[in-house]
Amino acid sequence: MKRIYLVPTVLMSCVSLTFAQKKESDTINSEGKLKDIEEVVMVGYGSQKRSDVTGSVGSVKSEDFNKGMVANVGQLLQGKIAGVNVTNISGEPGANQNIIIRGVGSLRSGTTPLYVIDGFVIDNSTTGPANNPMNFINPDDIESMDILKDASAAAIYGARGANGVIIITTKKGKKGRTQMNFSSNLTISNLANKMNVFGADEFRRQVIAAGGKLDDMGGSTDWQDELTRTGVSKNVNFSTSGATDTSNYYATLGYEDQEGILYNSNLKRYSGRVNVSQKAFDGRVNIDFNLNGTRTENNRPNATDVVSTMLTWNPTYPAYTNGAPTTVFNNGAFNPLIRREIYKDFTTNNRILANISPSVEIIKGLTYKLNLGIDYSAAERIIQNIPHAIPLEAGNLNLSNYSNNNTLVENTLAYKFKINSHDFNVMVGHSYQKLLLTSRGSYYQNFPNNGIEPQYQIPSLLPADLTKVTSTVVANKNELQSWFGRVNYGYQDKYLLTATLRADGSSKFGANNKYGFFPSVAAGWNISKESFMENISTINNLKLRASWGKTGNQEIPGKVTKRSYQADSNGTAQATYPLNDSGNYPVGVYLVRADNPELQWEVTTQTNIGLDFGILNNRLTGTVDFFNKISDNIISIINTVDPVEPAPTMWKNISNMKIKNTGLELTLNYNSDTSKAFTYSVGGNMSFIKNKVTDSPYKVISTGEAQGPGTTNAVINGYVNNEPIGTFYVREFLGINANGTNIFRDVNGDGIITDNDRVAAGSALPDFTYNINLKAAYKNFDLGLNFNGVAGNMIYNNTASTLFSRGRLGISQNTTDAATQFPNESLNNTNAISTRYLEKGDFLRLNNATLGYNLNPRLLGIGEHIRNIRFSVTAQNLFIITKYSGFDPEINTGLSQGGIQSFGIDYATYPKARSFVFGVNVAF
């Protein structure tokens, strides 16, 4: 039965999303109809008019971003662009996301697209906890985002464009009076969906009915209520900007404190930005300067432990005794309320991103530009457990320091000229980027219970017999050097041609294959500008596009093409032997990874055919794209089988293996007559993607492994030959036999159940994603609704397979009615990985809803000083329709196996919140 989670009607009536307002940039003709606006989009090392673009580029402006409490760019983008699937890994503040553009096309290089902020190419490496590397940028500073989806658009970034490119443009000053903006919002968040575990009375009955031993301490505790809270978040931003004919500036300060629904969970961000542009010598010299400084403070709970506890903890255990957390329960278990007080995971990260871009017009149309930039971040992470006397638990401390230094130097020369009806725009350039990542870690344990937190004690002063120390040091330096060029040609604005070539050299690859070459070509035909279209007044825009190109992927660990050695001093690796009768082994080294100077780039080849159209005075606009994307030269680490090989592992390109993504994208938008008092728009997008792994020499490359007692490291899904990525490769569950144990299908008919009886039982990746947005405005009110959904994917509910077994009742731990589905099931039945715990992941969510009101300051007599006052109420994750039995179907724990990303596995994941955001914006 489908479940629909709703808030009370009274709340529903006052909450909704941002909707269409008339914008100053809109051009209206005498009939109140939108004229054809020549939108400018960023295409990498430059910009183009939308009508001149030959590649597949999706764009989102700031007024169309998702509203509410937003920590990073992925949340702004979710549901906005066809073919761009954004999935939150968890509900934790600032959590990472899977952003997949046109399907997964790699084995070990992840799915993260390349980010370019104001011309600076960002490194996707994280520093500190596994949260989103883009948390450092304040979403309020972003003016627009352009997503380069096909190879023609992304090939200008060559070796890093295979996963797509997201170009972020921050805000600039605009001509006119100096503008100042103040915005603030308050967010209230609660657990969106509670799991239906047994209450105390039902628990007592179910344990006895199952034949378990009841451990009853007489309490009645809802551990989900005890271990979650109402999160209260705050966000404040202030900006000032202005511009003249020769200069513009934008400066902003921001503060955000996002509080999670689990205790000890919050993300604070302090940010500042200055963007300045200056022109000189009649505009022939131009200097752009961008500076962004951010400090983030991230406090994280042990989410897996907390969620597992609140779902399985005995509800008869009293949370408190005499007003204080109950110290010890019957079985000696540790009260999670105490665990909450002694555990700490805290990270601070300071990051500066700065770039300066002077340019000179040497002669008319010929411009040289230099781009110098640095992105530096330094983080410190502290994980500790404070010692506790009752129950007895020793303290420990894990200290880590990280730094990431990214420097960029680029030189480009662009020449734009016209010969009669022929338009040319030629650009060539050189880029050099160097990245240095370092980390240092130390672990200490057995701290004394002296009332001082481990992080404030000096380990060297602790007694040697109480502290054990381990240390790690890692350093990686990677360099990328590139030459690139692009030619844009147009004839009478009707016939368009773009050709791109980039050569990338990376220190990550083998000595014999440092460089890769990534060409692309695209053509466009503006059919609507042909003479035979002049009398067809209903069609205002019609353009046909076609492209072909190659992009690369270099997102693999550094040094993997080089030999790796490991020290050994006990003889277990046969790297050393005793030199005397004492039996002591000296330190020896042995080879653990062979070098491979032949390692090459992963290459993605993509073809695209697209159609852009606008009819009814461009009130109805749309785009249709068909693409075929094939990735080969797939990189992986393999176990060597040749006995002559000196090491057990080596990084290699897998011969013949291919990952294919074929898809269809459709975007439609309709805008009403904007000259009327009531305006509205309806829009949406959808994408169909068929993914397949072919010609793999392996039957299955495991990616997702089970977690939790009884199933740890058991294979759940992976790359199965001739199946989609993320295919669940498990046994088929048929029921429970008379003995109370599992029945699995004997696929090969040999009479025994083994791993050879596993079947491909669906993929974690959806076949179909869709998004719907509705906007409306009447006078000073505006309203908006954004829906998003997926279909055709499966989720492995590892939470249910591990925590909701009948055996849990046998040991007096809580569960759901999933454990009582088969009354004759034995308490000793195994929770083996199978289709029993595989569920459909389809859902439709009202993701974002805003109701806004613009108050005219003149009504308050302050119109001379204040231009506008806006009040808004936003709801996020208002309701969801799904059959999934877990907290939320849009989730993935981010698990991986051997460095290969997994998809569609839910194990005690930080649950999603439902949030209500109350905001005010004052423009001076």
Side-chain angles (χ1 to χ4, degrees), residues 125-268:
S125 302
T126 59
T127 53
N131 58 13
N132 197 306
M134 297 302 292
N135 284 339
F136 81 96
I137 185 169
N138 186 346
D140 198 63
D141 292 343
I142 300 176
E143 179 66 30
S144 64
M145 285 188 277
D146 297 286
I147 295 83
L148 313 185
K149 297 190 290 183
D150 73 339
S152 171
I156 195 64
Y157 290 103
R160 293 170 292 182
N163 290 335
V165 182
I166 297 178
I167 299 178
I168 299 172
T169 303
T170 59
K171 294 177 179 178
K172 312 293 182 184
K174 298 178 181 179
K175 290 183 65 175
R177 59 181 284 187
T178 298
Q179 298 183 25
M180 290 187 287
N181 246 287
F182 172 81
S183 64
S184 178
N185 60 55
L186 177 70
T187 303
I188 308 298
S189 303
N190 291 101
L191 179 64
N193 169 40
K194 288 181 66 175
M195 297 283 282
N196 295 320
V197 296
F198 296 130
D201 292 338
E202 181 64 18
F203 173 78
R204 293 181 176 99
R205 289 192 292 269
Q206 292 294 346
V207 170
I208 295 172
K213 183 179 179 181
L214 180 62
D215 181 10
D216 191 347
M217 290 188 66
S220 180
T221 304
D222 188 327
W223 288 106
Q224 291 184 81
D225 287 345
E226 293 292 341
L227 298 178
T228 61
R229 65 181 176 183
T230 297
V232 180
S233 305
K234 301 169 285 292
N235 183 287
V236 179
N237 290 283
F238 176 77
S239 67
T240 180
S241 62
T244 66
D245 290 336
T246 58
S247 65
N248 73 72
Y249 69 92
Y250 172 85
T252 181
L253 292 172
Y255 167 72
E256 178 173 330
D257 181 2
Q258 189 171 349
E259 195 172 76
I261 57 173
L262 298 184
Y263 287 89
N264 299 331
S265 172
N266 72 288
L267 175 70
K268 290 184 179 180

Side-chain angles (χ1 to χ4, degrees), residues 5 7 11-12 14-20 60 62-80 88 97 139 185 187 258 683 770-776 782-789 843-852 870 872-881 888 890 912-918:
Y5 308 120
V7 296
L11 290 177
M12 181 69 172
C14 69
V15 183
S16 283
L17 178 82
T18 302
F19 279 21
V60 185
S62 57
E63 59 266 25
D64 295 320
F65 290 159
N66 289 320
K67 312 300 179 183
M69 180 57 69
V70 175
N72 48 61
V73 298
Q75 292 172 301
L76 295 176
L77 274 178
Q78 189 171 34
K80 296 299 181 180
N88 295 306
Q97 295 153 328
N185 60 55
T187 303
Q258 189 171 349
Y770 60 99
N771 306 277
I772 304 168
N773 61 81
L774 309 172
K775 301 183 179 182
D782 56 84
L783 176 69
L785 302 171
N786 280 356
F787 298 84
N788 70 293
F843 70 85
L844 171 63
R845 185 195 310 276
L846 178 50
N847 185 47
N848 203 284
T850 297
L851 176 65
R870 175 176 169 80
S872 63
V873 182
T874 299
Q876 295 174 276
N877 190 24
L878 197 58
F879 73 80
I880 185 170
I881 301 174
D888 195 284
E890 187 189 2
K912 269 196 176 68
R914 177 175 294 116
S915 302
F916 298 92
V917 186
F918 306 89

Side-chain angles (χ1 to χ4, degrees), residues 55-124:
S56 181
V57 181
S59 302
V60 185
K61 305 301 181 183
S62 57
E63 59 266 25
D64 295 320
F65 290 159
N66 289 320
K67 312 300 179 183
M69 180 57 69
V70 175
N72 48 61
V73 298
Q75 292 172 301
L76 295 176
L77 274 178
Q78 189 171 34
K80 296 299 181 180
I81 303 293
V84 180
N85 187 22
V86 180
T87 303
N88 295 306
I89 284 180
S90 78
E92 182 180 2
N96 214 336
Q97 295 153 328
N98 288 326
I99 300 180
I100 302 175
I101 299 177
R102 292 189 165 182
V104 181
S106 181
L107 186 64
R108 287 185 169 270
S109 300
T111 64
T112 304
L114 180 69
Y115 293 98
V116 182
I117 302 178
D118 293 327
F120 190 97
V121 179
I122 299 298
D123 175 46
N124 289 327

Side-chain angles (χ1 to χ4, degrees), residues 805-848:
S805 65
R806 193 170 181 84
R808 290 278 179 177
L809 291 174
I811 57 175
S812 224
Q813 291 186 354
N814 208 1
T815 180
T816 68
D817 56 9
T820 63
Q821 181 181 4
F822 300 97
N824 68 321
E825 185 174 4
S826 169
L827 292 177
N828 298 320
N829 188 35
T830 63
N831 55 339
I833 304 302
S834 71
T835 57
R836 179 178 184 178
Y837 305 105
L838 200 58
E839 303 183 40
K840 288 186 176 181
D842 302 12
F843 70 85
L844 171 63
R845 185 195 310 276
L846 178 50
N847 185 47
N848 203 284

